[in-house]
Amino acid sequence: MAKPKTSPVDKVLDFVKSKKIKFIDFKFMDFPGQWQHFTVPATEFDAKSFENGFGFDGSSIRGWKAINESDMLIIPDAETMFFDPFIQAPTVSLICDVYEPATKEKYSRCPRNIAQKAVAYLKSTGIADTVYFGPEAEFFVFDDVRFDTTPNSSFYFVDSVEGRWNTGTDEGPNLQYKPRYKEGYFPVPPTDALNDLRNEMCEVLLDMGIPVEAQHHEVATGGQCEIDLRFQPLLTAADQLLIFKYVVKNTAKRNGKTVTYMPKPIQGDNGSGMHVHSSLWKNGKPLFAGGGYAGLSDMALYYIGGILKHAPALLAFTNPTTNSYKRLVPGFEAPVRLAYSQRNRSAACRIPMYSASPKAKRVEFRCPDPSANPYLAFSAIMLAGLDGIINRIDPGDPLDKDIYDMPAEELANVPETPGSLEAALKELAEDHEFLLKGDVFTEDVIQTWINYKMTKEVKPMALQPHPFEFSMYYDV
C-alpha cells in the first residue's frame, strides 16, 4: 500500500521538532513593497496556527488600515518555510498572507493576495495555466553610506572601495584595481573585488533551495552586482525575489558592507534595473515559440503589444520611486523607448536569442527596477500581456536599430516611458481597466497606490530643495 503523503503543514511541524527550532518568524509584505515580520516562540506554534493565524496592528503598516479598524491577521503559507540563517537562535521563517479577522477573507490590499488572484485569473481565461517570471535584480554594494535632510541642509554620501572616484584617495596603501566608470561588466579579480561576497550570497541561496544561474559584476563602478535566479511561476518568483533581497542584504551586512536596490544611487554611471523575463505555458508546453519574428508565436507578439500599450501605466508599479526616473532618462543607458526587438538591449521589450529551444522563448521587459513590489509588478505585467492577447494588440514593427544612435526625426515616432513618477501615476489613473480584470487589482488598490505615492513621495520630493539647485541657482 502506498505510503500517505506528508502534508506541507506536517512537514513544517516535523522540521520544527526535529531541528529543535526555538522561534518562528512570520514575514509578510506591506503595500509599498517592504518585508515586515514578527516572531513567536516555537511553543506558541502548532497546526492550528495555519488556521487561526496571528493578530497584528494593521494601522502601523504603510498604506493599510485606519486606527479604528486596525486588527488584522496573518496566516502562514506552509509551503514557503525556510530555515533563517541570519537569526542567532534556531529560527524557521514562513511567508504569510494577510486576512481580515472578522470575515477571514484575504485582505484586498495584501500584495501577495493580488498575485494569487492574478494566477487564478490567468487560469480562468483558458489562455494558459502558468506564467513564468525571471527577474534580474541588480544592486549596489557599498562600504559607507551617509545621508541627512533637515530644514536647512541636505546631503548624501556613498562610498565603495571599488569606486573609481577613489583612485586618488590615501587608503594606506591604495591598491587601485577600481573598475572604470561604465566598465564594471565584468573584469576578473582583483578589479572585481566582490566575487567572494557574491559567491557567499549564492551559497546561502542554494542552501535555502533557491536555484541560482549565475553571478557577476555589473556595468557601474563602485560595487554594482547581479545574481540571476532561475525562472519560476509568478507567486514563487515573487516570494523568492524577496528571500533573495533578504539574503543579499544580510550577507553583505555580516561582511561589514551594505546593499541598496535603489535604482540610481550614483550620478554619472549606470543605475540598477530589474529586467523581467516572462512566458506563458499550458499543460506543460511553452506558448511563446512560433514561426513569427524572432521565433515568436502570434500570442507572444500580442503579449508584447499589451505591454507596450500599457507600459506608461505599468511603470507606476514596475518603477515606483521618484529615484526610478533618474535611471529612465532618454539618451542614457536605460531603455526608455517603447519598442521591441530581438537581442537589442536598447528596446523596452527584448526577445533573448541565446537558445533555439521553444522552452527558452520568452519576453524580457527591460524598464523595471528592483525597487518594485514584485507581487504587484509581476501581476501588472502579466495582466498587460493578457490584455494584448485577448484584444490582439499589434505591437507594430520591431526596432532592430541601435536606438541610442537613431536620428531625432526617426525617434520622434517611437513613444517614450513617462519622465517622472508623477507622470506614471497619472497614466495609471487614466489606464487601469486591464488591471481590474478578474478582480486582481481593485479600484481601491489603484486609488490607494496613487494617493500614497503622491502624498508620501512625489509631493514631499517636490517641496525639498536639492543640493544641486544651490550650485545652479544660488547666485541668481
Side-chain angles (χ1 to χ4, degrees):
M1 190 170 74
K3 187 177 179 180
K5 290 185 178 180
T6 305
S7 72
V9 169
D10 287 338
K11 287 181 180 178
V12 173
L13 297 175
D14 290 346
F15 186 88
V16 169
K17 183 177 179 180
S18 65
K19 300 298 181 182
K20 295 180 170 58
I21 297 299
K22 300 291 187 184
F23 293 97
I24 314 298
D25 195 64
F26 301 116
K27 294 178 168 66
F28 62 98
M29 177 60 80
D30 72 6
F31 198 52
Q34 182 72 35
W35 241 7
Q36 310 289 333
H37 83 125
F38 63 88
T39 306
V40 302
T43 53
E44 299 297 312
F45 180 75
D46 57 25
K48 291 183 179 178
S49 301
F50 294 93
E51 299 175 15
N52 300 332
F54 295 84
F56 71 98
D57 176 8
S59 69
S60 296
I61 304 298
R62 298 180 298 172
W64 279 5
K65 292 288 191 174
I67 197 166
N68 62 312
E69 51 178 11
S70 60
D71 289 354
M72 302 196 76
L73 285 175
I74 54 98
I75 295 180
D77 182 341
E79 295 185 349
T80 66
M81 179 190 72
F82 63 92
F83 180 81
D84 199 316
F86 301 107
I87 299 177
Q88 187 173 1
T91 300
V92 154
S93 281
L94 290 158
I95 300 174
C96 302
D97 297 311
V98 181
Y99 286 75
E100 295 277 12
T103 62
K104 274 295 185 73
E105 293 180 349
K106 289 183 178 178
Y107 182 41
S108 62
R109 293 185 195 172
C110 171
R112 197 167 191 263
N113 176 37
I114 291 169
Q116 290 164 334
K117 289 193 292 181
V119 173
Y121 172 67
L122 170 67
K123 293 176 181 178
S124 75
T125 65
I127 293 170
D129 53 38
T130 307
V131 57
Y132 286 105
F133 278 92
E136 300 173 357
E138 299 165 351
F139 56 94
F140 277 89
V141 179
F142 292 130
D143 294 286
D144 187 29
V145 178
R146 286 174 278 144
F147 54 86
D148 198 10
T149 299
T150 68
N152 68 318
S153 70
S154 183
F155 82 96
Y156 72 90
F157 177 85
V158 298
D159 204 7
S160 165
V161 69
E162 278 196 346
R164 190 68 180 178
W165 55 82
N166 278 323
T167 56
T169 301
D170 183 0
E171 295 180 341
N174 189 324
L175 302 179
Q176 296 303 325
Y177 300 118
K178 304 178 190 302
R180 295 179 181 88
Y181 294 106
K182 298 185 179 292
E183 293 186 25
Y185 187 89
F186 29 51
V188 299
T191 302
D192 178 2
L194 299 170
N195 190 66
D196 287 340
L197 178 62
R198 293 195 305 272
N199 278 343
E200 184 179 338
M201 294 167 176
C202 290
E203 285 180 331
V204 176
L205 289 164
L206 291 167
D207 287 345
M208 295 169 75
I210 296 180
V212 175
E213 293 189 335
Q215 62 90 347
H216 58 82
H217 205 285
E218 257 299 337
V219 174
T221 189
Q224 192 181 33
C225 298
E226 180 176 314
I227 298 174
D228 295 333
L229 305 180
R230 187 173 301 163
F231 65 90
Q232 300 288 352
L234 188 154
L235 186 64
T236 303
D239 286 342
Q240 289 192 355
L241 181 59
L242 296 174
I243 297 172
F244 164 76
K245 294 174 80 169
Y246 181 71
V247 166
V248 168
K249 288 181 177 180
N250 281 283
T251 304
K253 187 174 185 293
R254 75 183 181 188
N255 282 273
K257 295 182 183 292
T258 179
V259 160
T260 183
Y261 288 92
M262 184 177 174
K264 192 73 172 182
I266 295 176
Q267 187 271 334
D269 212 335
N270 282 36
S272 291
M274 185 175 71
H275 308 147
V276 178
H277 300 250
S278 60
S279 61
L280 295 177
W281 290 55
K282 189 173 185 179
N283 299 324
K285 295 181 180 180
L287 302 179
F288 277 7
Y293 173 80
L296 293 177
S297 64
D298 287 344
M299 179 184 291
L301 289 168
Y302 293 139
Y303 186 90
I304 292 171
I307 290 176
L308 294 179
K309 176 183 177 180
H310 297 298
L314 276 181
L315 264 63
F317 291 112
T318 63
N319 302 74
T321 69
T322 59
N323 185 253
S324 298
Y325 299 86
K326 301 291 195 298
R327 168 180 167 262
L328 292 175
V329 178
F332 292 87
E333 80 279 358
V336 298
R337 296 290 176 173
L338 299 177
Y340 73 102
S341 176
Q342 60 182 346
R343 303 174 63 185
N344 188 350
R345 283 175 165 80
S346 62
C349 285
R350 170 177 166 264
I351 300 91
M353 302 297 288
Y354 297 123
S355 171
S357 169
K359 294 182 177 180
K361 196 58 64 179
R362 59 196 188 274
V363 173
E364 178 189 16
F365 186 34
R366 294 178 60 80
C367 297
D369 68 55
S371 68
N373 182 329
Y375 298 117
L376 304 184
F378 297 168
S379 299
I381 292 169
M382 185 204 75
L383 288 169
L386 287 180
D387 188 63
I389 294 168
I390 292 168
N391 292 296
R392 303 174 69 87
I393 297 173
D394 185 352
D397 295 328
L399 192 61
D400 289 329
K401 300 178 181 179
D402 183 347
I403 294 173
Y404 301 128
D405 289 337
M406 286 176 61
E409 56 271 20
E410 285 189 63
L411 278 176
N413 298 318
V414 184
E416 284 184 5
T417 56
S420 67
L421 177 58
E422 182 174 11
L425 293 169
K426 288 180 178 178
E427 294 284 352
L428 177 62
E430 296 174 2
D431 176 26
H432 61 260
E433 284 294 324
F434 70 100
L435 297 172
L436 304 178
K437 299 292 180 63
D439 198 39
V440 177
F441 289 77
T442 63
E443 282 287 356
D444 171 70
V445 166
I446 299 294
Q447 295 308 317
T448 302
W449 183 263
I450 292 170
N451 293 339
Y452 180 91
K453 287 287 174 177
M454 288 297 298
T455 303
K456 301 293 186 180
E457 299 177 32
V458 173
K459 290 181 179 178
M461 177 62 74
L463 292 170
Q464 178 63 46
H466 191 285
F468 191 56
E469 291 177 310
F470 282 81
S471 67
M472 292 192 294
Y473 305 130
Y474 185 77
D475 59 350
V476 296

